[in-house]
Amino acid sequence: MKIGRGEKLLFIGDSITDCGRAQPEGEGLFGALGTGYVAYIDGLLQAVYPELGIRVVNKGISGNTVRDLKARWKEDVIAQKPDWVSIMIGINDVWRQYDLPLMKEKHVYLDEYETTLRSLVLETKPLVKGMILMTPFYIEGNEHDPMRRTMDQYGRVVKQIAEETDSLLVDTQAAFNAVLKTIYPAALAWDRVHPSVAGHMILARAFLKAIGFDWNKPNE
């Protein structure tokens, strides 16, 4: 597995990452990591790789866009001195264009999104062992749906930046697409954005696959 002994893995993003994590520091016991994919990943790492002692920190904040991440990056990422940083951002950058179409000051368009995300990755890459970029997603099987179509554009930017910077990529939209072949979107997310338990498990599984998690590792 790519994440090694005693290493610190920091997650940053929006409400999908936040999921009610402890404030100001999302780390520790009794729900400190929230109730979503970050907590599931931490639980599986501890259960399957207890000998590695991987430290997981959740720095997600509900409602954030990449613009918000930039404003808090030095305090919530650089100052934490992580070994690995996972970023999943873009859902609100897109969503505000659709649910608040007249409030253009809240919109983060593709050019700003790309420039800002690339800058954060390039700033952080020399300071850490690795970066993990997770695409934003929209739990909608119809690729022609306007918001799904826009979200896919933002996802393609994430893939491009991951390739340019030699970062690990988690294609969350592809992971949901596979399940949407048999499950209706509302069964995974009532608003097609905030996942159910199953939806968060889909995210956790896709992430763990990207870092080389061994599901068949024997317990010793």
Side-chain angles (χ1 to χ4, degrees), residues 10 23 37-39 43 52 61-62 78 81 101 112 130-131 143 149 151 156 160-161 163 172 199 201 209 218:
L10 184 146
Q23 299 280 354
Y37 76 96
V38 176
L52 295 184
I61 293 183
S62 181
I78 304 299
K81 298 184 186 288
E112 180 185 354
M131 304 282 295
E143 295 180 8
R149 189 169 59 242
M151 199 73 75
R156 283 193 289 272
Q160 180 181 339
I161 294 173
E163 183 176 356
T172 67
M201 190 58 74
K209 181 179 179 181

Side-chain angles (χ1 to χ4, degrees), residues 147-178:
M147 186 165 157
R148 167 65 197 276
R149 189 169 59 242
T150 305
M151 199 73 75
D152 285 345
Q153 293 175 343
Y154 283 60
R156 283 193 289 272
V157 164
V158 174
K159 294 175 187 177
Q160 180 181 339
I161 294 173
E163 183 176 356
E164 288 176 6
T165 60
D166 195 28
S167 300
L168 295 181
L169 174 70
V170 181
D171 190 340
T172 67
Q173 187 66 60
F176 279 116
N177 288 347

Side-chain angles (χ1 to χ4, degrees), residues 64-77:
N64 266 197
T65 64
V66 76
R67 190 183 293 162
D68 298 307
L69 261 55
K70 179 181 180 181
R72 63 187 180 95
W73 197 258
K74 292 197 184 304
E75 179 180 356
D76 282 358
V77 178

Side-chain angles (χ1 to χ4, degrees), residues 79-203:
Q80 295 284 325
K81 298 184 186 288
D83 298 288
W84 291 84
V85 175
S86 172
I87 309 171
M88 181 165 64
I89 199 70
I91 290 174
N92 293 311
D93 307 61
V94 172
W95 203 2
R96 296 296 85 88
Q97 298 173 43
Y98 289 90
D99 69 346
L100 298 174
L102 302 182
M103 300 176 66
K104 296 189 183 301
E105 69 276 9
K106 294 184 179 293
H107 302 174
V108 179
Y109 298 111
L110 193 62
D111 55 348
E112 180 185 354
Y113 178 79
E114 179 174 358
T115 300
T116 306
L117 182 60
R118 181 180 285 109
S119 174
L120 294 177
V121 173
L122 290 174
E123 174 188 356
T124 312
K125 196 87 164 68
L127 307 176
V128 299
K129 182 175 178 181
M131 304 282 295
I132 305 162
L133 304 186
M134 303 176 70
T135 64
F137 60 84
Y138 192 48
I139 305 176
E140 168 56 61
N142 176 14
E143 295 180 8
H144 301 291
D145 176 275
M147 186 165 157
R148 167 65 197 276
R149 189 169 59 242
T150 305
M151 199 73 75
D152 285 345
Q153 293 175 343
Y154 283 60
R156 283 193 289 272
V157 164
V158 174
K159 294 175 187 177
Q160 180 181 339
I161 294 173
E163 183 176 356
E164 288 176 6
T165 60
D166 195 28
S167 300
L168 295 181
L169 174 70
V170 181
D171 190 340
T172 67
Q173 187 66 60
F176 279 116
N177 288 347
V179 180
L180 287 173
K181 292 176 182 178
T182 53
I183 296 181
Y184 187 69
L188 291 175
W190 66 272
D191 58 0
R192 294 184 286 182
V193 168
H194 294 93
S196 63
V197 169
H200 275 285
M201 190 58 74
I202 290 167
L203 292 172

